[in-house]
Amino acid sequence: MEIEVKAKIDDKERVVKALLSLGFTFLRKEFHEDIYFNGIDRDFKETDEALRVRDSNGKYFLTYKGPKLDKISKSREEIEVEVKDKEKMIKILEKLGFKKVRVIKKVREVYKLNDITACIDEVEGLGLFLELEKEGSLEDVEKLLNILDKLNLRNNIIRKSYLELLEEGIK
Amino acid sequence: MEIEVKAKIDDKERVVKALLSLGFTFLRKEFHEDIYFNGIDRDFKETDEALRVRDSNGKYFLTYKGPKLDKISKSREEIEVEVKDKEKMIKILEKLGFKKVRVIKKVREVYKLNDITACIDEVEGLGLFLELEKEGSLEDVEKLLNILDKLNLRNNIIRKSYLELLEEGIK
């Protein structure tokens, strides 16, 4: 399971410095173009699921996300498979009946400390966010919240996905 | 578009010899394990579509097939994308609501002459078949039928898919 917390950032430089001083190291920069689809027999906005085709620096991924599992974090089941061709994957989804909802573009800086990944995302139309992620169980949420505390971002926590934020027009 | 004709075979050795004498060359042997899924909002048996995850010698493919386009051949739109992980692909389909229909196993010998592919399939529970395929338009059906004539297999032509044949219990 994907344990995840997210917070809005105002001062990127401050957060990067704080991450590095906690022991995080910079891994890489990614350019994401994410195409989100809605369900065939159900509205993913209502069921809190997501289906996405991601183009990340020219590598392509099909991802399913299940409903969020608690009241504070963004933790949820996530199943992802790499696919060799983006356009064909999109075409198969459309033939099956899935409808494109929205394209979300962002630049992601990835930092790592042991099994915890920190992503600083600059999302087109939404601004800057920090995501903290690890594979684990819901008991790990507390670990990620502790890091948010150390970064002074506990009050900026956001449970909504970028898709939800964009769909709601919160810009 | 995938132009395709298929015929039942009784004497494999005879057909292989005839293919070789027509100029076909042997390319490779493949072991297929195909998992077929039914649609979410429609019955693919009724709409004549297909959704399949193929394991071919440890490489994995997701394939969508549209309805057959004429009355004699098996020609239809086919969109296929290679995926890196079979189990995750299957899990994503199941989470989205697709239901497994059947697993079909076969051994395929692939022969080639210019842009025409000839496959001799030994399908578990069904027996031996020849499939002739090429990328093209419906006008190419005649070319493939000519080859079937030369192989003395015109009367053995079958439009039904292996899935349909197995579902109907024709064994």
Side-chain angles (χ1 to χ4, degrees), chain A residues 40-42 44 51 62 64 77 79-85 88-89 91-92 95-96 98, chain B residues 40-42 44 51 62 64 77 79-85 88-89 91-92 95-96 98:
Chain A
I40 291 174
D41 57 341
R42 56 199 192 266
F44 286 166
L51 178 64
L62 177 71
Y64 166 83
E77 185 182 20
I79 313 168
E80 185 162 82
V81 64
E82 189 175 343
V83 301
K84 282 271 179 84
D85 188 298
K88 284 184 183 171
M89 188 65 245
K91 218 171 158 191
I92 289 174
K95 287 283 176 186
L96 292 172
F98 297 97
Chain B
I40 291 174
D41 57 341
R42 55 199 192 266
F44 286 164
L51 178 64
L62 177 71
Y64 166 84
E77 185 182 19
I79 314 167
E80 185 162 80
V81 64
E82 188 176 343
V83 300
K84 282 272 179 83
D85 187 297
K88 283 183 183 171
M89 189 66 245
K91 220 171 159 193
I92 289 174
K95 286 284 175 183
L96 292 172
F98 296 97

Side-chain angles (χ1 to χ4, degrees), chain A residues 24-92:
Chain A
F24 280 88
T25 51
F26 174 74
L27 276 194
R28 63 182 175 273
K29 199 167 186 165
E30 297 174 351
F31 296 85
H32 292 177
E33 188 174 287
D34 294 341
I35 302 171
Y36 283 87
F37 293 84
N38 202 353
I40 291 174
D41 57 341
R42 56 199 192 266
D43 186 348
F44 286 166
K45 207 188 289 184
E46 280 165 29
T47 58
D48 193 24
E49 296 167 276
L51 178 64
R52 179 186 76 195
V53 174
R54 168 166 289 175
D55 179 342
S56 173
N57 298 9
K59 288 187 119 186
Y60 314 118
F61 301 90
L62 177 71
T63 308
Y64 166 83
K65 295 185 184 198
K68 290 186 266 301
L69 295 165
D70 69 1
K71 295 287 170 203
I72 182 155
S73 76
K74 291 180 71 245
S75 305
R76 59 208 305 192
E77 185 182 20
E78 188 171 319
I79 313 168
E80 185 162 82
V81 64
E82 189 175 343
V83 301
K84 282 271 179 84
D85 188 298
K86 180 173 68 166
E87 294 311 324
K88 284 184 183 171
M89 188 65 245
I90 292 167
K91 218 171 158 191
I92 289 174

Side-chain angles (χ1 to χ4, degrees), chain B residues 71-123:
Chain B
K71 296 286 172 204
I72 181 155
S73 76
K74 290 180 71 246
S75 305
R76 60 209 301 195
E77 185 182 19
E78 188 172 317
I79 314 167
E80 185 162 80
V81 64
E82 188 176 343
V83 300
K84 282 272 179 83
D85 187 297
K86 179 173 67 166
E87 295 311 324
K88 283 183 183 171
M89 189 66 245
I90 292 167
K91 220 171 159 193
I92 289 174
L93 293 178
E94 289 181 331
K95 286 284 175 183
L96 292 172
F98 296 97
K99 302 266 184 253
K100 267 187 202 171
V101 176
R102 192 180 266 271
V103 180
I104 301 180
K105 294 179 185 179
K106 67 172 175 291
V107 183
R108 165 168 286 183
E109 288 178 15
V110 184
Y111 297 79
K112 193 101 184 171
L113 174 61
N114 303 321
D115 61 343
I116 297 171
T117 305
C119 301
I120 295 187
D121 289 343
E122 186 160 3
V123 186

Side-chain angles (χ1 to χ4, degrees), chain B:
Chain B
M1 211 174 54
E2 176 93 343
I3 307 303
E4 186 179 323
V5 297
K6 179 160 81 177
K8 187 87 185 76
I9 296 177
D10 296 314
D11 185 348
K12 179 180 161 185
E13 212 180 321
R14 184 189 74 75
V15 175
V16 170
K17 274 184 188 160
L19 282 172
L20 296 173
S21 76
L22 285 175
F24 280 86
T25 51
F26 173 74
L27 275 195
R28 63 182 176 273
K29 199 168 186 166
E30 297 174 349
F31 297 86
H32 291 178
E33 188 174 287
D34 294 341
I35 302 171
Y36 283 87
F37 293 83
N38 202 353
I40 291 174
D41 57 341
R42 55 199 192 266
D43 186 350
F44 286 164
K45 207 187 289 183
E46 280 165 29
T47 58
D48 193 24
E49 297 167 276
L51 178 64
R52 178 186 77 193
V53 175
R54 168 166 290 176
D55 180 342
S56 172
N57 297 8
K59 288 188 121 188
Y60 315 119
F61 302 90
L62 177 71
T63 308
Y64 166 84
K65 296 185 183 197
K68 290 187 266 301
L69 294 166
D70 69 0
K71 296 286 172 204
I72 181 155
S73 76
K74 290 180 71 246
S75 305
R76 60 209 301 195
E77 185 182 19
E78 188 172 317
I79 314 167
E80 185 162 80
V81 64
E82 188 176 343
V83 300
K84 282 272 179 83
D85 187 297
K86 179 173 67 166
E87 295 311 324
K88 283 183 183 171
M89 189 66 245
I90 292 167
K91 220 171 159 193
I92 289 174
L93 293 178
E94 289 181 331
K95 286 284 175 183
L96 292 172
F98 296 97
K99 302 266 184 253
K100 267 187 202 171
V101 176
R102 192 180 266 271
V103 180
I104 301 180
K105 294 179 185 179
K106 67 172 175 291
V107 183
R108 165 168 286 183
E109 288 178 15
V110 184
Y111 297 79
K112 193 101 184 171
L113 174 61
N114 303 321
D115 61 343
I116 297 171
T117 305
C119 301
I120 295 187
D121 289 343
E122 186 160 3
V123 186
E124 202 176 275
L126 282 179
L128 283 160
F129 296 84
L130 173 74
E131 285 194 347
L132 298 171
E133 295 174 13
K134 78 184 287 296
E135 276 295 310
S137 62
L138 281 179
E139 287 123 55
D140 294 315
V141 171
E142 207 51 46
K143 286 184 198 163
L144 301 184
L145 291 175
N146 279 339
I147 296 174
L148 274 195
D149 279 336
K150 288 176 186 159
L151 296 169
N152 250 323
L153 290 170
R154 180 70 173 253
N155 292 330
N156 294 18
I157 203 162
I158 288 178
R159 270 186 85 242
K160 286 182 177 164
S161 67
Y162 299 136
L163 178 63
E164 287 168 311
L165 293 172
L166 283 165
E167 288 290 294
E168 288 171 9
I170 298 165
K171 296 192 183 192

Side-chain angles (χ1 to χ4, degrees), chain A residues 75-144:
Chain A
S75 305
R76 59 208 305 192
E77 185 182 20
E78 188 171 319
I79 313 168
E80 185 162 82
V81 64
E82 189 175 343
V83 301
K84 282 271 179 84
D85 188 298
K86 180 173 68 166
E87 294 311 324
K88 284 184 183 171
M89 188 65 245
I90 292 167
K91 218 171 158 191
I92 289 174
L93 293 178
E94 289 180 330
K95 287 283 176 186
L96 292 172
F98 297 97
K99 301 266 184 254
K100 268 186 202 170
V101 176
R102 190 181 268 272
V103 180
I104 301 180
K105 294 180 186 179
K106 66 173 176 289
V107 182
R108 166 168 285 182
E109 288 178 16
V110 184
Y111 297 79
K112 193 103 183 169
L113 173 62
N114 303 320
D115 60 343
I116 297 172
T117 305
C119 302
I120 296 186
D121 289 344
E122 187 161 0
V123 186
E124 202 176 275
L126 282 179
L128 283 162
F129 296 84
L130 172 75
E131 285 195 346
L132 298 172
E133 296 174 14
K134 78 185 288 293
E135 275 297 309
S137 62
L138 281 179
E139 286 124 56
D140 293 317
V141 170
E142 207 52 46
K143 286 184 199 165
L144 301 185

Side-chain angles (χ1 to χ4, degrees), chain A residues 14-22 24 118 130 132 144-154:
Chain A
R14 183 188 75 74
V15 175
V16 169
K17 275 185 187 160
L19 283 172
L20 295 174
S21 74
L22 285 175
F24 280 88
L130 172 75
L132 298 172
L144 301 185
L145 291 175
N146 280 339
I147 296 174
L148 275 195
D149 278 335
K150 286 176 186 160
L151 297 168
N152 251 323
L153 290 170
R154 181 72 172 249

